[in-house]
Amino acid sequence: MTAPTTKGTAPFGEFRTWYRVTGELSPQRTALVVVHGGPGSTHDYLTSLSVFADGGTPVVHYDQLGNGGSTHLPGRPAEFWTVQLFLDELDNLLRHLGIADNYVLFGHSWGGLLVAKHAAAAPAGLKGLIIADAPASYPLWLDAMAELRAALPAGVDDTLRRHEAAGTTDSDEYHAATKVFYDRHLCRLDPWPRDYQASFYELYNDPTVYLAMNGPSEFHVIGSLKDWGVTDCLADIAVPTLVISGRHDEATPATVRPFVDLIPDARWELFDDSSHVPHLEEPDRFRQTVGDYLKTVAQV
């Protein structure tokens, strides 16, 4: 039986946060809340996580402010887009849906840092945490990017750096060179799954948040996040934490390890045949791994 799906928007100040619920929310059932990456991407590439609703865990997807079905704000200045804004949005959504007393968070990439920061505040209703393909800080991320870029085929990184220095990162040549990196370290499937492409199209159509907080590409982080991280608060996370990454991930082991070393109750699952999206690249193992974890922390 396929779990029912409902959609709606939550008021967030003068804005709206779009969400989708798969399964039935109730106080007795622990909800799995899926926090997407970017920042400035959308939920689409994580849609397959709705499968966990078939096992009795209701699943909440949402689009963070600035993209997808949520309010777009292309005219807002870069300083509007802050980590605190997105923490507040998440808290607001939990209250709106009535699940703040019983939930698990799944955060992917940027979303992994966001849920770690949320968890470090010790919210009473948080039962568990899944951090997927995320760096513990952007300085660590940039160090890893330098290593991965240096290992690209001859001439690719030279092309990237030439355009980055010239400020022409919107050129076709730059985009073609980024694709070489992305095919190695973002998603190794060919072609990319439709859900994954959908999030890229959304980000391309409105890159406001991504450009302000990240920059023009995954490996050229020049936005407001470039010096930010969560290593200083990981020891405050008090719930069982599952850490996921891929062997070919742009989130390299050096960027991920602080989660495992500093969170008191953390376990790391490395996916050998994956890069940045194990839920798409190794879906069967991913479902088994996350499903087993949810059985230990969630009420159904």
Side-chain angles (χ1 to χ4, degrees), residues 11-259:
F12 176 46
E14 59 185 301
F15 315 122
R16 310 289 299 192
T17 299
W18 179 94
Y19 65 83
R20 187 183 79 171
V21 178
T22 308
E24 299 286 348
L25 295 177
S26 75
Q28 293 74 36
R29 290 186 174 184
T30 307
L32 175 64
V33 181
V34 181
V35 183
H36 65 69
S41 186
T42 63
H43 80 285
D44 299 85
Y45 75 100
L46 294 164
T47 300
S48 64
L49 271 71
S50 60
V51 69
F52 297 110
D54 294 336
T57 300
V59 180
V60 176
H61 288 86
Y62 75 102
D63 288 335
Q64 294 163 28
L65 186 66
N67 214 335
S70 296
T71 305
H72 289 233
L73 296 163
R76 294 294 169 123
E79 55 267 24
F80 173 82
W81 304 103
T82 64
V83 172
Q84 190 61 51
L85 174 72
F86 292 104
L87 289 170
D88 291 345
E89 182 185 33
L90 175 56
D91 286 339
N92 180 75
L93 181 65
L94 296 173
R95 290 192 300 268
H96 176 81
L97 295 175
I99 58 175
D101 292 332
N102 191 8
Y103 64 101
V104 172
L105 288 178
F106 176 100
H108 181 263
S109 197
W110 137 260
L113 288 92
L114 194 67
V115 300
K117 188 70 173 177
H118 173 95
L126 181 65
K127 307 303 181 185
L129 189 66
I130 305 171
I131 298 172
D133 313 283
S137 78
Y138 281 91
L140 287 173
W141 177 266
L142 287 169
D143 288 344
M145 294 305 101
E147 294 180 7
L148 295 176
R149 289 173 63 147
L152 292 173
V156 174
D157 194 36
D158 291 338
T159 298
L160 293 170
R161 292 187 185 281
R162 184 174 73 253
H163 285 288
E164 288 163 2
T168 52
T169 54
D170 58 348
S171 70
D172 290 343
E173 187 179 37
Y174 186 80
H175 290 156
T178 61
K179 189 66 163 55
V180 177
F181 182 98
Y182 289 178
D183 286 344
R184 285 188 171 200
H185 302 298
L186 211 62
C187 181
R188 295 166 68 84
L189 298 175
D190 185 17
W192 284 1
R194 182 173 297 180
D195 289 348
Y196 197 48
Q197 293 186 48
S199 285
F200 263 82
Y201 292 146
E202 292 276 9
L203 193 152
Y204 179 81
N205 287 333
D206 189 348
T208 303
V209 184
Y210 190 72
L211 291 175
M213 298 184 74
N214 186 87
S217 69
E218 291 291 284
F219 43 78
H220 189 46
V221 180
I222 56 175
S224 61
L225 292 177
K226 66 181 184 300
D227 299 316
W228 183 70
V230 294
T231 53
D232 61 333
C233 66
L234 295 179
D236 297 325
I237 295 176
V239 295
T241 301
L242 173 64
V243 180
I244 289 171
S245 67
R247 185 169 298 280
H248 308 282
D249 206 329
E250 58 180 354
T252 65
T255 72
V256 171
R257 180 158 294 283
F259 291 120

